[in-house]
Amino acid sequence: MRLSEPGVLSRAARALMTTEREGVADFDENRLAAIVDLYVRTGIQVHSPGYMGRQFSGTVPLAGVIDFVSSVVNQPSTYYEAGQLPAMAERIMADELNRFIGWDPGGFAMVTTSGGSLANLTALLAARNRAHPGIWARGEPGGRGRPAIAVGADVHYSVTRAAGVLGIGETQIVRLPVDAQGRIAVRLVPELLAAAERRGLQVFCLVASAGTTALGAFDPIDELAAITARRGIWLHVDGAHGASLLVSDALRHKLRGIDRADSLTWDAHKMLFVPAPCTLLFYRDARDAPGAFRRSTASYVSDEEPDAHCEFDSGDRNLECTKRPMIMPLWTLWAMYGRVLFAEKIEHLCRMTQDAHAILIDEPDFEALHRPEANILCFRYRPAGVAEERLHRLQLRIRKEVRLAGRFFISKVDVQGAAALRVVLMNHQIGPGHFRDLLAEIRGTGDRLLRDGGLD
Amino acid sequence: MRLSEPGVLSRAARALMTTEREGVADFDENRLAAIVDLYVRTGIQVHSPGYMGRQFSGTVPLAGVIDFVSSVVNQPSTYYEAGQLPAMAERIMADELNRFIGWDPGGFAMVTTSGGSLANLTALLAARNRAHPGIWARGEPGGRGRPAIAVGADVHYSVTRAAGVLGIGETQIVRLPVDAQGRIAVRLVPELLAAAERRGLQVFCLVASAGTTALGAFDPIDELAAITARRGIWLHVDGAHGASLLVSDALRHKLRGIDRADSLTWDAHKMLFVPAPCTLLFYRDARDAPGAFRRSTASYVSDEEPDAHCEFDSGDRNLECTKRPMIMPLWTLWAMYGRVLFAEKIEHLCRMTQDAHAILIDEPDFEALHRPEANILCFRYRPAGVAEERLHRLQLRIRKEVRLAGRFFISKVDVQGAAALRVVLMNHQIGPGHFRDLLAEIRGTGDRLLRDGGLD
């Protein structure tokens, strides 16, 4: 039986628990070793070159050392009096990274949040509160139309979901079509926004992606900013995956125009290789940051007589009250190694993905679905003679079989309505040979499924 | 100059950063040691017996070891395929803790969330979506009245804030008065709910606290449940602080009636002594859990052909997409030491707080503001001859001066409109001597402030 089967794993885990019921069990180092062993052996193996599946990665190991310290000193980072170095490290990293965004160093703000989904929600909330303050106060928008947001068709699900959470309503989402590369088709946007307005919607926020989850596509921020500025619409950029390209001189151009955005979500736990979560939410105008939560805290955490320390408190700017000092691994790595560590790894990963694409297009039984812009590549296994209607199911089953075989871990995604295979290259130790081996495994798996009737 | 001053600390932190700009700096163990040293020496000293300030604590050190492993293996816990042992540990801890809640083992659900604020918001969202599905879909409540929530006057700010976030509106909050002990005055509740209904409000959720942040007071869940059941109102219990008392045979009765609640927020990073955040959100009826987010995910994370693994996925039940495997320190401690470790520590802390209260009421220049129900005690320094109007300011200044002196760390809170001093006993190594020393320091500080005109 496989350890990855829930029933087997459950029994293995329960067998490791003390049966002492009356007192406190003695420390048992064998028990601890067995727990750690079970942890390391199960789940995804992010440090393996066969892992090409998702946007989290093997971390720089030193990050784990700092997380150990964080867990023992246990200084939440929401209030300066509790977590002083984390508060300072947030300020320093905000300054360091804003050099690549390009906002006024004295005028912007950054808060850390527990993941990109929460950052996107927080930015939308700040935008909503600016445009429709009546929703916070009375649950009524007021204003000149029904509150609405516009998003790229490939935007992350956390953004469309936020419309449901925040009381905007999913039907008030204006979806902007994307081109073949997965980027918002900018030329259609002005007319779509005008049409939405005619339908009685007041689009207060446009969300662009840098890059998208499916294809790693970068929406044209510069051109979108020109449109949103003209119409007084908040431009939020979900750069959870791709904002890290800003630290590379060679790749920064992918986010051209980011200095004109109003807010930016940036997951350091994706392309800056620190443990999850470590999300940074940037606002161009620092005054927008407390707008998300309308400064609504309480006497047990806020000071009636603010001093120089309060400036570093973030409780009125993030949803969390007690918040992990998630910045510490990132700042420590940045302090120890400098920017170039990150830039070189990101550039290498993006280059490898181009190489993988080149390998792929030389294989006649594979179909590349786009030219990769970052380190995400989507494709299909499409041998000659397979009926179109079976291709969707074929990809799904290949993905699953490959995962269960255990040598490789890849993901899948719907591209233009049909399933595709997806690799995300996060490990610099992956070489062309590993990718060729993956294609061979996919081919072998696919052919077996087709031959043995495994699709039915 | 003090290291706790932001300017000094900022310079110290920046001085530790590499100046290498062209390449990757070599690993420098002295730099790392200096960073860790600066981290440990600043911020709150949660392991000191002088720390009596907040609801987070010195953790069981083994928790840090597991967090180290978590950071290196980096298996997010939202999807079973990625974090298998975390998913299983969540299920096991849910079962273990539900034994003390008392819900149908086959019918309840638990999700982990990044902090109690997010858990409270998620529960309110599930309740809102059940009562007013039109808000998610169209941004319009529909239904028979304006959506509203009822909360105890001392409820945590994350709950009232959630009304603003979720589009319910802060003016749609029905505040339920509390008695002198800080508990919702149950006998007033039926009439207040009826009055709200007459004003056109539809109260869909009542939030009780177990215990409150200010006083650690436990609302009478059993009696409130009788009212909410009659009216078809969702009963959410914010047990961020006090739910942990459930694991103690001696203290469980504080939450009598919890088996009748619809949902429960439980912060393990408070009274179960693991690193922050580790929040558990329980639903009595598992079918309510996906209701918070209406199963809105995307093809890159959800399976079109669900298998036995998908049952353990939580992406459709929590706001986070990539989520830290926060359960692992808790499960490991539970597996290694058993329930009694937690129960004994909690009972000891609550007993110590009773002792502190007994010491306090013997001091004529101190005023106890309540009889502590858990490990939180609020009081004022109130020497004879000080005018009433100066007492508020006196507490604020004492709290600040004591903090800056560095021997003790306590907090403050407004109680019945005026500032009070507040201790939260989280460290079992605190003894009566430490508390007497604290009172002496408060007295000395207060008298100096009164004498030197430091209040003006």
Side-chain angles (χ1 to χ4, degrees):
Chain A
M1 288 292 285
R2 292 162 173 281
L3 204 48
S4 63
E5 285 311 308
V8 180
L9 182 57
S10 175
R11 280 191 295 279
R14 286 179 197 266
L16 290 174
M17 297 174 71
T18 178
T19 54
E20 171 62 53
R21 288 288 168 261
E22 301 307 313
V24 178
D26 289 332
F27 178 78
D28 176 349
E29 65 180 43
N30 293 324
R31 191 187 298 281
L32 178 62
I35 287 173
V36 172
D37 187 59
L38 193 60
Y39 196 3
V40 171
R41 280 164 59 209
T42 53
I44 43 164
Q45 302 295 310
V46 289
H47 295 276
S48 157
Y51 167 74
M52 308 181 192
R54 299 226 174 256
Q55 293 159 285
F56 38 82
S57 71
T59 59
V60 184
L62 180 55
V65 176
I66 299 300
D67 262 342
F68 168 78
V69 177
S70 282
S71 294
V72 173
V73 302
N74 204 25
Q75 301 175 359
S77 71
T78 319
Y79 295 95
Y80 184 78
E81 65 170 37
Q84 292 169 0
L85 189 58
M88 208 47 72
E90 285 190 10
R91 194 62 66 98
I92 293 171
M93 282 314 300
D95 289 342
E96 291 280 316
L97 297 179
N98 180 52
R99 287 193 287 134
F100 313 116
I101 301 173
W103 288 331
D104 170 15
F108 81 102
M110 188 279 282
V111 293
T112 56
T113 72
S114 304
S117 296
L118 186 53
N120 286 335
L121 181 130
T122 303
L124 281 171
L125 185 57
R128 187 203 76 178
N129 288 346
R130 194 174 74 178
H132 295 277
I135 300 183
W136 185 282
R138 298 178 309 278
E140 292 163 4
R144 42 191 174 80
R146 292 203 308 284
I149 60 173
V151 306
D154 276 1
V155 78
H156 189 260
Y157 75 81
S158 62
V159 173
T160 47
R161 199 189 236 194
V165 174
L166 300 179
I168 295 159
E170 279 189 326
T171 54
Q172 259 75 283
I173 297 172
V174 178
R175 285 173 200 270
L176 308 171
V178 296
D179 63 21
Q181 290 296 312
R183 295 181 289 231
I184 290 176
V186 151
R187 63 186 171 76
L188 305 176
V189 173
E191 174 47 29
L192 286 165
L193 293 176
E197 203 168 295
R198 288 194 298 271
R199 288 202 310 278
L201 299 182
Q202 183 188 348
V203 175
F204 64 87
C205 186
L206 188 152
V207 182
S209 302
T212 60
T213 305
L215 298 178
F218 287 75
D219 289 330
I221 301 171
D222 210 30
E223 297 166 67
L224 291 167
I227 297 170
T228 55
R230 211 157 44 227
R231 304 183 76 100
I233 293 174
W234 181 303
L235 176 60
H236 174 64
V237 176
D238 177 3
H241 187 76
S244 297
L245 271 60
L246 285 168
V247 309
S248 156
D249 295 336
L251 295 165
R252 190 169 306 134
H253 66 93
K254 293 275 179 196
L255 290 101
R256 207 178 61 241
I258 190 65
D259 56 309
R260 303 170 69 186
D262 292 286
S263 52
L264 169 68
T265 293
W266 184 336
D267 280 355
H269 60 263
K270 292 193 168 81
M271 296 282 277
L272 296 180
F273 317 109
V274 294
C278 177
T279 297
L280 316 180
L281 171 60
F282 287 86
Y283 295 92
R284 183 177 56 190
D285 187 337
R287 291 168 298 185
D288 285 325
F293 301 104
R294 316 282 293 196
R295 295 198 181 277
S296 52
T297 60
S299 68
Y300 38 84
V301 289
S302 67
D303 260 310
E304 200 171 305
E305 302 177 339
D307 59 19
H309 296 188
C310 298
E311 178 199 339
F312 296 88
D313 293 347
S314 64
D316 61 351
R317 280 170 282 152
N318 54 232
L319 187 103
E320 301 97 327
C321 182
T322 299
K323 189 174 67 171
R324 191 174 175 87
M326 60 187 90
I327 200 73
M328 289 303 295
L330 178 63
W331 175 68
T332 302
L333 294 182
W334 195 271
M336 292 286 294
Y337 298 113
R339 174 192 71 89
V340 178
L341 175 81
F342 302 94
E344 282 187 355
K345 181 159 172 170
I346 292 166
E347 289 161 15
H348 180 78
L349 295 174
C350 291
R351 213 159 37 229
M352 278 164 49
T353 312
Q354 296 290 345
D355 294 347
H357 180 253
I359 292 170
L360 193 76
I361 55 180
D362 274 351
E363 302 286 343
D365 50 350
F366 281 89
E367 173 193 25
L369 296 174
H370 65 129
R371 176 175 295 280
E373 291 196 70
N375 59 330
I376 297 177
L377 175 62
C378 293
F379 56 96
R380 294 197 183 99
Y381 180 55
R382 195 180 186 120
V386 178
E388 195 72 25
E389 62 271 19
R390 301 184 76 194
L391 282 172
H392 174 77
R393 195 105 198 274
L394 178 62
Q395 316 306 315
L396 294 181
R397 297 303 304 274
I398 288 174
R399 192 262 160 173
K400 188 165 182 175
E401 293 293 320
V402 166
R403 174 164 71 82
L404 292 176
R407 285 181 62 215
F408 291 95
F409 183 98
I410 61 174
S411 48
K412 61 96 191 169
V413 65
D414 286 350
V415 176
Q416 288 159 1
L421 302 172
R422 173 173 172 269
V423 297
V424 187
L425 301 187
M426 298 294 289
N427 182 345
H428 57 275
Q429 293 178 314
I430 296 174
H434 296 111
F435 187 71
R436 285 202 178 87
D437 287 350
L438 170 66
L439 295 189
E441 172 131 346
I442 290 171
R443 183 181 288 121
T445 306
D447 291 352
R448 183 168 48 73
L449 286 165
L450 290 165
R451 194 175 56 233
D452 300 350
L455 290 184
D456 310 310
Chain B
M1 288 291 286
R2 292 161 173 283
L3 205 47
S4 63
E5 285 311 308
V8 179
L9 182 56
S10 176
R11 280 190 296 279
R14 286 179 197 269
L16 290 174
M17 296 174 71
T18 179
T19 54
E20 172 61 54
R21 288 289 169 261
E22 302 307 313
V24 178
D26 289 333
F27 178 78
D28 176 348
E29 67 179 43
N30 293 323
R31 191 188 299 279
L32 179 62
I35 287 173
V36 172
D37 188 58
L38 192 61
Y39 195 5
V40 170
R41 280 164 59 208
T42 54
I44 44 166
Q45 303 294 311
V46 289
H47 294 277
S48 157
Y51 167 74
M52 307 181 191
R54 300 229 173 254
Q55 293 159 285
F56 39 81
S57 72
T59 58
V60 184
L62 181 55
V65 176
I66 298 301
D67 262 342
F68 168 78
V69 177
S70 282
S71 294
V72 173
V73 303
N74 203 27
Q75 301 175 359
S77 70
T78 317
Y79 294 95
Y80 183 76
E81 65 170 35
Q84 292 170 0
L85 189 58
M88 208 46 72
E90 286 189 11
R91 194 61 68 100
I92 293 171
M93 282 313 301
D95 289 343
E96 292 281 315
L97 298 178
N98 180 52
R99 287 192 288 133
F100 313 116
I101 301 173
W103 288 332
D104 170 15
F108 81 103
M110 188 278 282
V111 292
T112 57
T113 72
S114 305
S117 296
L118 186 54
N120 285 334
L121 181 130
T122 302
L124 282 171
L125 185 57
R128 187 203 76 178
N129 289 346
R130 194 174 73 179
H132 295 277
I135 300 183
W136 184 281
R138 299 177 309 278
E140 292 163 4
R144 41 191 175 80
R146 292 203 307 284
I149 61 173
V151 306
D154 277 1
V155 78
H156 189 260
Y157 74 83
S158 61
V159 173
T160 48
R161 201 189 234 194
V165 173
L166 300 178
I168 296 159
E170 278 189 325
T171 53
Q172 259 76 284
I173 297 172
V174 178
R175 286 174 199 272
L176 308 171
V178 295
D179 63 21
Q181 290 295 312
R183 297 181 287 233
I184 290 176
V186 152
R187 62 187 171 74
L188 305 177
V189 173
E191 174 48 28
L192 286 165
L193 293 177
E197 204 167 297
R198 289 194 296 271
R199 289 202 310 279
L201 299 183
Q202 184 189 348
V203 176
F204 63 86
C205 185
L206 189 153
V207 183
S209 302
T212 60
T213 306
L215 298 177
F218 287 75
D219 289 331
I221 300 171
D222 210 29
E223 297 167 66
L224 291 168
I227 297 169
T228 54
R230 212 156 43 228
R231 304 183 77 98
I233 293 175
W234 182 303
L235 177 61
H236 174 65
V237 176
D238 178 3
H241 187 77
S244 297
L245 271 61
L246 286 169
V247 309
S248 156
D249 295 336
L251 295 166
R252 190 169 305 134
H253 66 93
K254 293 277 178 194
L255 290 100
R256 207 179 60 242
I258 190 63
D259 55 309
R260 303 171 68 187
D262 292 285
S263 52
L264 169 67
T265 293
W266 185 335
D267 280 354
H269 61 262
K270 292 192 167 82
M271 297 282 276
L272 295 180
F273 318 109
V274 294
C278 178
T279 298
L280 316 180
L281 171 60
F282 288 85
Y283 296 91
R284 184 178 55 190
D285 186 337
R287 291 167 299 185
D288 285 325
F293 302 104
R294 316 284 290 194
R295 295 199 182 277
S296 52
T297 60
S299 68
Y300 38 84
V301 289
S302 67
D303 262 309
E304 201 171 304
E305 302 177 339
D307 58 19
H309 295 187
C310 298
E311 179 200 339
F312 296 88
D313 293 347
S314 64
D316 62 350
R317 280 172 280 151
N318 54 231
L319 187 103
E320 301 96 326
C321 181
T322 298
K323 190 173 67 171
R324 191 174 175 87
M326 59 187 90
I327 199 74
M328 287 304 295
L330 178 63
W331 176 68
T332 302
L333 294 181
W334 195 271
M336 292 287 294
Y337 298 113
R339 175 193 71 89
V340 179
L341 175 82
F342 302 93
E344 282 187 355
K345 181 159 171 170
I346 292 166
E347 289 161 15
H348 180 78
L349 295 174
C350 292
R351 214 159 38 228
M352 277 164 49
T353 311
Q354 297 289 347
D355 294 346
H357 181 253
I359 291 170
L360 192 76
I361 56 180
D362 274 350
E363 302 286 343
D365 50 350
F366 282 88
E367 175 192 23
L369 297 174
H370 64 130
R371 177 174 294 280
E373 290 195 72
N375 59 330
I376 298 177
L377 175 62
C378 293
F379 56 96
R380 294 197 184 99
Y381 180 54
R382 193 179 187 124
V386 178
E388 196 71 26
E389 63 272 19
R390 300 184 77 193
L391 283 172
H392 173 78
R393 194 104 197 274
L394 178 62
Q395 316 305 315
L396 294 181
R397 298 303 304 274
I398 287 174
R399 191 262 160 173
K400 187 164 181 174
E401 294 292 320
V402 167
R403 173 165 69 84
L404 292 176
R407 285 182 61 215
F408 291 95
F409 183 98
I410 61 174
S411 49
K412 61 98 190 168
V413 65
D414 286 351
V415 177
Q416 288 159 1
L421 302 173
R422 173 172 173 270
V423 298
V424 187
L425 301 187
M426 298 292 290
N427 182 344
H428 57 275
Q429 294 179 313
I430 296 174
H434 296 110
F435 188 71
R436 286 203 177 86
D437 288 348
L438 170 67
L439 295 188
E441 173 132 346
I442 290 171
R443 183 181 287 120
T445 306
D447 291 350
R448 184 170 47 72
L449 286 166
L450 290 165
R451 194 176 57 234
D452 300 350
L455 290 183
D456 310 309

